[in-house]
Amino acid sequence: MDIKVIQGSLSDVSCDVLIVNLFEGVKLPAGGTGTVDAALDNIISEYVIGKDDFKGKLGDTYVIPSYGKIPAQKILLIGLGKAEKFDSNTIRLVASKAIKKSISFLKAKKVCSILHGAGIAGLDPIDCAQMTVEGTLIGAYKFSKYKTKKNNNGYEGPTEFNIVEIDPDKLQRINEGLEKGKIIAEAVNYARDLVNEPASFVTPSKLAENAKSINGIECTIIDREEAEKLGMGSYLAVAKGSSEPPKFIHMTYRSANPVKKIALVGKGITFDSGGLDIKPASSMTNMKDDMSGAAAVLGIMNALTKLKPDVEVHGIIAACENMPSSTAYKPGDILKALNGKTIEVDNTDAEGRLTLADALAYADNLKVDQIIDLATLTGACLVALGYMASGIMGNNQELIDILMKSADRGGERLWQLPMYKEYFEGLKSDVADFKNSGPRWAGASTAGLFLKEFVSETPWAHIDIAGPAYLDKEIKELAKGPSGVGVRTLLNHIMSL
Ligand code: BES
Ligand code: MN
Ligand code: ZN
């Protein structure tokens, strides 16, 4: 979809669908919607609102044909909800609802839209444009690569999306926000694509290839032999059961005068069968999503080369597959991680933390200012928080608080879970420093406590995305399936440093 801003009046643009908006309770629309209403001989105020009682409730839509009164074929009116509840997250949401309707119901190719939120106190046109574009691109996303039957007479979604603005003074700011929104949404959709792809296609080698193909970053791939020499015994144990070779990926985005250095670590289990402690079939169905953290990190690295913040960012992924076989690691095995600590394997399905152990220790050696990991780590986190929030833990409250704010601005949710040190007792081992899993209760917290053993003093936050990574139904701007969660939160975080 080609996205741009054009200068002019909404009542003059020609397109299949023209998106305008309405606050809840407004009887006589002003601004852009008012212009269109006037050009349509007040059909919106007198008929749609007056007689047909369209209230402008958040996300509600109403479609009217223009009957040739303006060049746009159809007008899609989208409800903005209550003015006092309106914020930039609302813009993203309504933009996504509007484009979804334009696609599913109207089969629009060329779409023009009002800039949602323009003229609302406290909202900069940059943010309005960014959110309008984020919502549009995230909302329009679909993964149809493997569908052979094209439905809807070959209709494949909109090809053009134009934000229409009358005020020439605002164009530059709108363009700036538009570009930012595009880069962020494309990173989200890149991550969604990667998770949607089958695990037999997105192997550890494929993740490494993708990392290498990102222009504008450095990329080092550490193969099994080299990882062995370095002492990554914990990560390599997980990889042992698979014929797919492990790939430890280290990407670096550099800038001339970085204000901070940070490391992003993404869990990259390209398929989690559970290993010898094999999962039941119903729990394995979506386990191609166990590299959602890695996919987000790859999306972020891609976006950084275009956003160009003054930050040094290391993207680290210990990619491998967790499979049962005669070469697989076994319960009872004792592993030695990169930082020298020993781990007794209690359960081969608690593999994510074993790969993260070495990835975090590696990140810690880079002497960065912050380490943040993103991982589909525990079913327990999904049980605790469901699909609406990721769990956050860490060794630094300030970093956690900042990340929670970045998440809010990105339309994602983080909820802090405790890391009571008493829970670490559940990981006590008779033969090694500790075990990789313990009692069932507070499973997300014990996983966090396990990871903590592999970071020294560096401020570190762990984000368990097991819930939001893969949606079983549409939520807000996101469709069913992979969500690209973490991309928006972490890009916001990096951009605000
Ligand atoms: N990848 C899973 C966690 C997961 C479960 C993610 C459901 C998304 C949806 C992880 O590797 C896992 O299997 N964790 C185990 C840990 C247990 C064995 C201590 C779990 O949560 O059951
Ligand atoms: Mn597992
Ligand atoms: Zn896993």
Side-chain angles (χ1 to χ4, degrees):
M1 191 178 350
D2 183 39
I3 299 197
K4 60 184 187 301
V5 55
I6 53 180
Q7 204 248 320
S9 166
L10 288 162
S11 54
D12 292 338
V13 287
S14 76
C15 52
D16 302 318
V17 173
L18 176 65
I19 298 166
V20 291
N21 59 31
L22 190 74
F23 273 115
E24 190 170 335
V26 168
K27 296 272 184 263
L28 204 64
T33 309
T35 308
V36 175
D37 186 34
L40 296 177
D41 302 333
N42 305 328
I43 196 169
I44 296 178
S45 48
E46 281 174 17
Y47 184 78
V48 179
I49 302 171
K51 291 212 169 55
D52 213 24
D53 213 19
F54 179 74
K55 291 198 169 65
K57 285 213 166 98
L58 182 60
D60 277 4
T61 52
Y62 197 108
V63 178
I64 37 178
S66 67
Y67 295 116
K69 286 183 177 151
I70 58 173
Q73 299 288 312
K74 283 175 184 136
I75 293 92
L76 172 64
L77 200 58
I78 177 107
L80 298 179
K82 296 198 167 71
E84 61 271 24
K85 285 198 177 159
F86 190 83
D87 62 10
S88 58
N89 281 325
T90 320
I91 300 180
R92 191 192 298 104
L93 180 69
V94 295
S96 77
K97 297 275 178 206
I99 199 74
K100 282 180 194 178
K101 190 85 178 179
S102 306
I103 295 169
S104 63
F105 183 59
L106 300 168
K107 316 255 178 295
K109 285 206 172 111
K110 181 172 176 183
V111 180
C112 284
S113 176
I114 191 169
L115 181 64
H116 301 297
I120 307 296
L123 282 176
D124 191 292
I126 297 180
D127 293 326
C128 297
Q130 182 188 333
M131 294 304 148
T132 300
V133 171
E134 270 189 36
T136 302
L137 284 174
I138 291 172
Y141 176 82
K142 68 176 189 321
F143 184 76
S144 50
K145 183 174 160 189
Y146 296 100
K147 294 267 190 196
T148 57
K149 258 219 187 92
K150 301 283 176 225
N151 294 327
N152 304 321
N153 296 322
Y155 172 68
E156 295 205 63
T159 52
E160 233 184 285
F161 181 84
N162 299 317
I163 294 176
V164 185
E165 173 59 48
I166 191 128
D167 182 356
D169 293 340
K170 282 192 186 157
L171 293 184
Q172 205 193 332
R173 295 175 82 75
I174 293 174
N175 219 8
E176 190 182 319
L178 182 153
E179 283 304 323
K180 213 171 145 198
K182 211 158 105 177
I183 293 166
I184 294 172
E186 276 168 3
V188 172
N189 290 347
Y190 171 96
R192 292 161 101 186
D193 271 347
L194 211 47
V195 179
N196 256 319
E197 288 284 357
S200 296
F201 179 73
V202 177
T203 58
S205 304
K206 182 77 190 172
L207 287 180
E209 269 171 43
N210 278 25
K212 280 187 279 187
S213 74
I214 303 173
N215 289 320
I217 59 164
E218 291 162 27
C219 181
T220 311
I221 308 295
I222 300 173
D223 287 316
R224 193 190 318 251
E225 217 173 84
E226 175 74 14
E228 240 158 45
K229 278 190 205 143
L230 290 170
M232 297 184 172
S234 183
Y235 157 57
L236 289 176
V238 178
K240 268 176 68 185
S242 172
S243 56
E244 289 293 342
K247 299 284 170 186
F248 189 100
I249 303 165
H250 178 188
M251 298 165 277
T252 313
Y253 162 79
R254 289 187 200 281
S255 64
N257 299 301
V259 291
K260 278 230 157 66
K261 298 182 181 189
I262 74 169
L264 304 178
V265 178
K267 173 172 172 181
I269 300 293
T270 58
F271 189 73
D272 182 11
S273 69
L276 289 174
D277 287 306
I278 197 161
K279 288 179 185 291
S282 62
S283 306
M284 214 190 286
T285 320
N286 286 338
M287 278 303 137
K288 67 174 183 181
D289 89 331
D290 218 15
M291 36 60 77
S292 298
V297 170
L298 284 164
I300 291 165
M301 297 308 290
N302 249 313
L304 291 177
T305 64
K306 300 169 205 154
L307 293 167
K308 302 193 186 349
D310 282 325
V311 183
E312 181 174 306
V313 183
H314 297 266
I316 295 158
I317 300 163
C320 69
E321 207 180 42
N322 187 22
M323 298 293 276
S325 75
S326 73
T327 61
Y329 78 132
K330 308 167 187 74
D333 280 359
I334 299 173
L335 321 175
K336 191 175 196 137
L338 185 61
N339 69 349
K341 295 193 180 179
T342 59
I343 309 156
E344 179 189 359
V345 178
D346 177 71
N347 190 316
T348 63
D349 198 12
E351 85 299 337
R353 62 196 75 180
L354 294 173
T355 62
L356 290 170
D358 283 335
L360 288 170
Y362 180 93
D364 205 47
N365 289 341
L366 297 172
K367 300 293 164 227
V368 290
D369 302 302
Q370 302 176 350
I371 302 174
I372 304 163
D373 76 73
L374 268 186
T376 45
L377 203 61
T378 65
C381 195
L382 175 58
V383 170
L385 302 177
Y387 297 99
M388 294 298 287
S390 302
I392 184 165
M393 286 156 260
N395 61 6
N396 185 296
Q397 193 57 41
E398 201 186 327
L399 177 60
I400 292 173
D401 290 340
I402 291 174
L403 285 168
M404 296 214 283
K405 286 206 186 88
S406 301
D408 283 343
R409 277 185 286 121
E412 299 186 323
R413 283 199 176 94
L414 290 177
W415 193 265
Q416 189 173 1
L417 297 173
M419 285 213 303
Y420 302 130
K421 62 178 188 305
E422 287 83 353
Y423 290 154
F424 194 67
E425 281 161 29
L427 297 180
K428 260 195 189 142
S429 164
D430 296 330
V431 288
D433 294 341
F434 42 82
K435 300 189 290 183
N436 75 330
S437 76
R440 192 167 158 216
W441 315 120
S445 296
T446 32
L449 285 162
F450 178 94
L451 296 182
K452 192 167 176 280
E453 293 297 312
F454 300 91
V455 252
S456 56
E457 303 295 298
T458 318
W460 154 76
H462 155 58
I463 304 179
D464 192 332
I465 55 172
Y470 202 99
L471 304 173
D472 65 357
K473 63 173 179 5
E474 181 179 332
I475 292 180
K476 296 195 291 180
E477 57 272 15
L478 292 161
K480 185 176 169 216
S483 65
V485 69
V487 172
R488 289 182 267 167
T489 298
L490 295 182
L491 280 176
N492 276 341
H493 174 61
I494 293 166
M495 297 304 284
S496 68
L497 284 171

